[in-house]
């Protein structure tokens, strides 16, 4: 079954050429240009060693737009610079861009064509904003519910992830922007990501994690980003088995490979393994590389090879031509339209008891929760985008219902420390320190009762130069190492007035506590204030929310979880005081809808007391409008879960085994093997809170007339889906395939074989076909190091989710 490398490379290049033709003729109005290998070879011959090396590592951008990376060009030879921007959910620069919904919300639509248009928006905007390379999409699988970047990727399922990453790359690169699939490979957690050694068997590696990366290569991705972690004892960015053996020799990739930021660890080993570019600077691929060439430890031809790969991709996208494609103009309206469409399509209704939703326009509504009045646009870290605008859910709900009240429920930003508790007094509205000035405070904080205090520091300016606060001699807000200082979250990391926020929680005993604050004005001055949250203030907020809920016909309670790159979640429960808040509000009014602006799976001990639960993840700049449209039934909630939701922290694939997560003694083992996500729940007989593929509609569907037939080495499955309700709705029929008795390899109880997204009117009936390809019907044989088709009788299921399989048949798969 093995495809030859030459055939893969040819297909990939053909696909890439089609993308560039579309970009050039449709987006830029210039004639299509073929790949000119002679031009690249000529440039390599003309470059000096210093110039070659300058193309293989990042540098400071003299005209930065706030993007993540920059590679200087070689002006004398007409090689332009490359600007590299983060972009899992939009282009991350200091200028405004369309803040799209998080990729996990996009994935929830089960719609590759929508993923292509999502990518097209980012590609067009990236080009318009002066960027050349997009550091996205991320296709690492959702393996643990704690991973801090689950919202930046797609799914726990390899097939769904593969379909979506290929489609998004087609959209990005069709608009002329170079895509970078990441993080290659096995970067499925943030905990110890820079050092953890991931151990995985060959079958699991190829069947699960690598499938999405292979699909990205087949789609023509121009670049690949190496991961931080080690794989089988070797850092990913110098792992020859990954970078050369699999990526280039098996898959035929001929783009360039870059490190994640500061993920390089060597010069000779990395370059020899197949790494081409170090980011964001040149610790190993700068002066150290030049020295290695000089002493003979690196042949200059290896440098030429890496340079040729970079220039080949640039040439493929027309960047080396004298008439390089002109940059388009941003189209904010078109971007906003796609952002709204994606947020509606991915909105996932998890529960809807007693017809709580859709809301009646005339009903009085209590909106509760901090993210009810603050737009929850994105998670933190690389995914943060400066949006064109972002409306609050409170405003969009108020526009649809005249009688709306609001209660905070949980205070994220605190209130001033009471004046009576401070000696000497400290201004409640904060302090302004003039430019070039220093300011300090020496005093005491007096506490009357033992309590848990959360101190909240609000400040302007660079986070690294923020004010320092010492209580009882200990610094409350120490700087986090490296990039982590800037990866602190989304909605909770900035106050409503835009000031940056840091938090510290500790138990205070009664009595006096020495308090010292110092601040510097720096070049432009600084404003800061110190707030606090206590058990008493939390209890007051909950009481006020329950009173508002009791007085309203219905409640919409917005719950948050603020995820970010660089930090994993500690538990599945909602953070802060939110579980107590939900308990009090649902007791006061059972017609409560909980809207989840969260990154990943959430435990819900409060579920049965709610009327409805709507999962919106991080919905982008149009998220409030999309949320209101779903709540009021202006559109059907079209999303389905792309990850299983566990009941609690004790019942999921990595629970209770530190070797699986987060690792023991620096080593993490994928000992669950191919039983990832819903496959583990099936294999272990554990019932999740919500299964993979779950999502409700405002109407009902039946599934009928299932049949399956072998077509070549694949299967064609046919079934009828009928809307039996009185309103239009979205159905996502899913097909699952059972194991082959003839294969003596580990196999899942069932795997996703295919799916369709359907919009059906009231009473409408439609027959659909789902093609299951040979790759899905195959297993990876570690003895032959290749896929082997699972022949013989195979069971076929169809239904609404992995936990709601309504039809069953069988089919004979040929050899």
């Amino acid at each position: 079954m093995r495809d030859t490398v030459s055939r893969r490379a040819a297909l990939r290049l053909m696909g890439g050429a089609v993308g560039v033709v579309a970009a050039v003729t449709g987006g830029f109005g210039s004639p299509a240009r073929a790949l000119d290998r002679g031009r690249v070879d000529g440039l390599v011959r003309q470059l000096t060693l210093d110039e070659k090396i300058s193309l293989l590592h990042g540098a400071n951008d003299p005209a930065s737009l706030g993007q993540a990376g920059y590679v200087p060009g070689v002006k004398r030879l007409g090689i332009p610079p490359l600007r590299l921007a983060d972009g899992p959910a939009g282009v991350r620069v200091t200028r405004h861009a369309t803040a799209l919904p998080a990729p996990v919300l996009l994935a929830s639509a089960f719609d590759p064509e929508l993923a292509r248009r999502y990518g097209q928006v980012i590609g067009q905007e990236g080009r318009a904003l002066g960027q050349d390379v997009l550091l996205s999409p991320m296709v690492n699988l959702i393996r643990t519910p704690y991973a801090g970047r689950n919202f930046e990727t797609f799914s726990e399922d390899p097939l769904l992830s593969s379909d979506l990453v290929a489609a998004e790359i087609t959209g990005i690169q069709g608009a002329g922007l170079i895509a970078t699939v990441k993080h290659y490979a096995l970067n499925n957690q943030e905990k110890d990501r820079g050092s953890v050694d991931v151990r995985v068997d060959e079958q699991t590696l190829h069947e699960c994690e690598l499938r999405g990366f292979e699909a990205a290569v087949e789609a023509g991705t121009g670049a690949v980003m190496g991961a931080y972690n080690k794989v089988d004892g070797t850092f990913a960015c110098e792992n020859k088995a990954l970078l050369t053996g699999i990526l280039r020799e098996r898959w035929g990739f001929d783009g360039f490979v870059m490190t994640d930021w500061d993920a390089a660890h060597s010069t000779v080993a990395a370059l020899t393994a197949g790494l081409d570019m170090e980011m964001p600077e040149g610790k190993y691929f700068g002066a150290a590389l030049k020295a290695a060439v000089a002493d003979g430890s690196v042949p200059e031809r290896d440098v030429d090879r890496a340079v040729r790969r970079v220039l080949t991709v640039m040439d493929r996208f027309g960047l080396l031509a004298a008439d390089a494609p002109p940059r388009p103009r941003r189209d904010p309206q078109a971007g906003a339209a796609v952002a709204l469409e994606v947020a509606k399509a991915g909105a996932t209704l998890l529960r809807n008891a007693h017809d709580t939703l859709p809301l009646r326009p005339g009903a009085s509504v209590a909106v509760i929760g901090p993210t009810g009045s603050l737009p929850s646009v994105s998670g933190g870290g690389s995914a943060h985008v400066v949006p064109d605008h972002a409306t609050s859910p409170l405003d969009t709900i108020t526009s649809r219902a005249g009688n709306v009240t609001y209660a905070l429920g949980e205070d994220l930003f605190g209130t001033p420390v009471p004046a009576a508790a401070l000696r000497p007094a400290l201004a409640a509205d904060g302090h302004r320190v003039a430019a070039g000035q220093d300011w300090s405070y020496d005093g005491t904080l007096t506490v009357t009762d033992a309590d848990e205090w959360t101190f909240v520091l609000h400040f302007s300016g660079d986070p690294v130069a923020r004010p320092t606060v010492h209580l009882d001699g200990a610094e409350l807000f120490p700087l986090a190492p490296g990039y982590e200082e800037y990866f602190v979250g989304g909605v909770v990391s900035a106050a409503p007035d835009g000031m940056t926020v840091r938090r510290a929680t500790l138990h205070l005993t009664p009595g006096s506590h020495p308090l010292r604050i110092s601040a510097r004005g720096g070049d432009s001055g600084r404003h800061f204030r110190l707030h606090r949250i206590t058990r008493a203030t939390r209890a007051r907020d909950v009481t006020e929310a329950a009173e508002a809920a009791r007085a309203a016909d219905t409640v919409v309670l917005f719950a948050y979880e603020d995820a970010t790159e660089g930090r994993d979640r500690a538990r599945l429960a909602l953070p802060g005081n939110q579980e107590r808040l939900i308990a009090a509000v649902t007791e006061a009014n059972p017609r409560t809808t909980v809207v989840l602006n969260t990154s990943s799976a959430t435990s819900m001990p409060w579920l049965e007391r709610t009327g409805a639960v709507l999962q919106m993840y991080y919905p982008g700049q149009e998220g409030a409008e999309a949320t209101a449209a779903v709540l009021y039934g202006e559109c059907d909630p079209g999303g389905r879960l792309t990850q299983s939701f566990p009941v609690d922290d004790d019942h999921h694939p990595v629970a209770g085994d530190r070797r699986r997560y987060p690792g023991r003694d620096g080593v993490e083992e994928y000992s669950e093997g191919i039983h990832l996500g819903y496959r583990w729940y099936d294999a272990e007989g554990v019932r999740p809170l919500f299964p993979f593929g779950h999502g409700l509609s405002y109407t009902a569907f039946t599934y009928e007339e299932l049949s399956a037939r072998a077509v070549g080495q694949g299967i064609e499955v046919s079934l009828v889906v009928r809307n039996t309700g009185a309103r239009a709705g979205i159905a996502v029929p899913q097909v699952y395939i059972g194991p082959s008795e003839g294969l003596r390899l580990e196999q899942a109880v069932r795997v996703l074989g295919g799916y369709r997204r359907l919009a059906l009117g009231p009473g409408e009936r439609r027959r659909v076909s789902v093609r299951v390809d040979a790759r899905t019907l195959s297993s990876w044989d570690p003895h032959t190091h290749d896929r082997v088709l699972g022949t013989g009788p195979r069971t076929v299921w169809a239904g609404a989710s992995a936990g709601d399989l309504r039809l069953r048949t069988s089919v004979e798969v040929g050899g």
Side-chain angles (χ1 to χ4, degrees), residues 77-88:
L77 295 178
I79 301 174
L82 285 177
R83 289 183 168 87
L84 303 84
D86 287 316

Side-chain angles (χ1 to χ4, degrees), residues 733-780:
Q734 300 156 43
V735 170
Y736 294 81
I737 307 297
S740 165
E741 295 179 359
L743 282 183
R744 295 186 176 180
L745 295 168
E746 188 77 9
Q747 297 178 75
V749 174
R750 62 182 65 86
V751 298
L752 181 69
Y755 52 89
R756 290 287 299 274
R757 180 181 176 88
L758 306 174
L760 298 178
E764 184 178 357
R765 174 186 187 274
R766 190 179 308 171
R767 177 171 290 279
V768 297
S769 293
V770 175
R771 182 66 184 265
V772 183
D773 65 18
R775 186 174 304 182
T776 301
L777 297 170
S778 300
S779 295
W780 186 269

Side-chain angles (χ1 to χ4, degrees), residues 110-124:
F110 278 69
D111 188 347
E113 171 56 23
L114 187 59
R116 184 193 65 79
R117 292 194 287 115
Y118 181 100
Q120 191 173 40
V121 169
I122 301 176
Q124 193 271 345

Side-chain angles (χ1 to χ4, degrees), residues 467-487:
T468 60
V469 181
H470 289 81
L471 186 71
D472 293 329
E475 187 171 356
L476 291 185
F477 311 101
L479 292 176
Y483 292 111
E484 293 181 19
E485 185 54 50
Y486 298 93
F487 295 160

Side-chain angles (χ1 to χ4, degrees), residues 550-576:
R550 194 172 293 110
D553 294 327
T554 190
V555 177
V556 181
L557 190 156
F558 287 84
Y560 73 91
E561 179 258 316
D562 207 43
T564 183
E565 176 180 357
R567 184 180 70 227
D568 280 349
R569 305 160 70 196
R571 59 193 187 124
L572 297 178
L574 291 169

Side-chain angles (χ1 to χ4, degrees), residues 398-417:
T398 300
S399 69
R400 289 164 169 82
N403 187 2
V404 178
T405 57
Y406 174 71
L408 183 61
E410 182 177 28
D411 185 1
L412 296 179
F413 305 108
T415 55
V417 177

Side-chain angles (χ1 to χ4, degrees), residues 152-388:
E152 289 188 53
T153 192
F154 299 115
S155 173
E156 69 187 22
D157 182 74
L159 171 63
L160 181 60
S161 296
S162 298
D163 290 347
L164 296 173
V165 76
E168 186 178 342
I169 286 171
T170 299
I172 292 165
Q173 298 194 154
L177 193 67
I178 300 167
T180 307
V181 67
K182 63 184 186 183
H183 310 82
Y184 185 68
L186 299 164
N187 183 184
N188 302 110
Q189 66 186 55
E190 294 299 279
K191 173 69 173 173
D192 300 327
R193 67 178 184 176
S195 60
V196 68
D197 182 9
V198 181
R199 305 293 175 88
V200 61
D201 67 87
E202 185 179 328
Q203 181 183 0
T204 300
L205 178 67
H206 283 270
E207 283 188 25
C208 297
E209 175 76 359
L210 291 190
R211 184 166 180 177
F213 289 98
E214 186 176 6
V217 170
E218 291 174 346
T221 187
V224 171
M225 180 186 290
Y228 283 112
N229 51 279
K230 297 175 184 176
V231 177
D232 290 332
T234 303
F235 280 108
C237 288
E238 54 188 51
N239 191 308
K240 192 169 185 177
L242 284 176
L243 301 185
T244 297
I246 295 173
L247 184 62
R248 297 197 183 277
E249 294 176 355
R250 175 172 288 277
W251 296 345
F253 176 68
D254 73 344
F256 64 92
V257 179
M258 72 181 77
T259 67
D260 205 334
W261 269 224
D262 290 324
H265 294 273
S266 66
T267 301
V268 178
L271 190 70
T272 302
L275 183 70
D276 303 309
M277 184 182 291
E278 178 188 2
M279 277 292 164
E281 297 173 338
K283 179 178 180 180
Y284 297 100
F285 275 27
L289 179 54
K290 185 176 181 179
V293 173
D295 67 21
S297 57
V298 169
E300 190 166 348
R301 65 176 178 272
D302 287 358
V303 175
D304 292 349
R305 178 188 64 194
V307 170
R308 188 174 287 109
R309 289 167 176 168
V310 174
L311 293 180
T312 295
V313 174
M314 294 179 70
D315 191 47
R316 174 181 158 198
F317 283 79
L319 302 180
L320 299 182
D323 57 342
R327 295 196 182 272
R329 299 182 65 179
R330 276 197 70 217
D331 187 345
Q333 289 73 31
V338 172
L340 179 61
E341 182 181 359
V342 171
K344 290 178 178 178
T348 306
L349 186 59
L350 300 179
R351 171 179 168 84
N352 192 20
H354 314 299
D355 295 323
T356 298
L357 295 180
L359 301 178
R360 292 181 290 106
S364 61
V365 182
V367 175
I368 293 171
T371 49
S373 62
L374 292 173
S376 180
V377 176
S378 69
S382 300
H384 179 72
V385 176
V386 181
D388 286 308

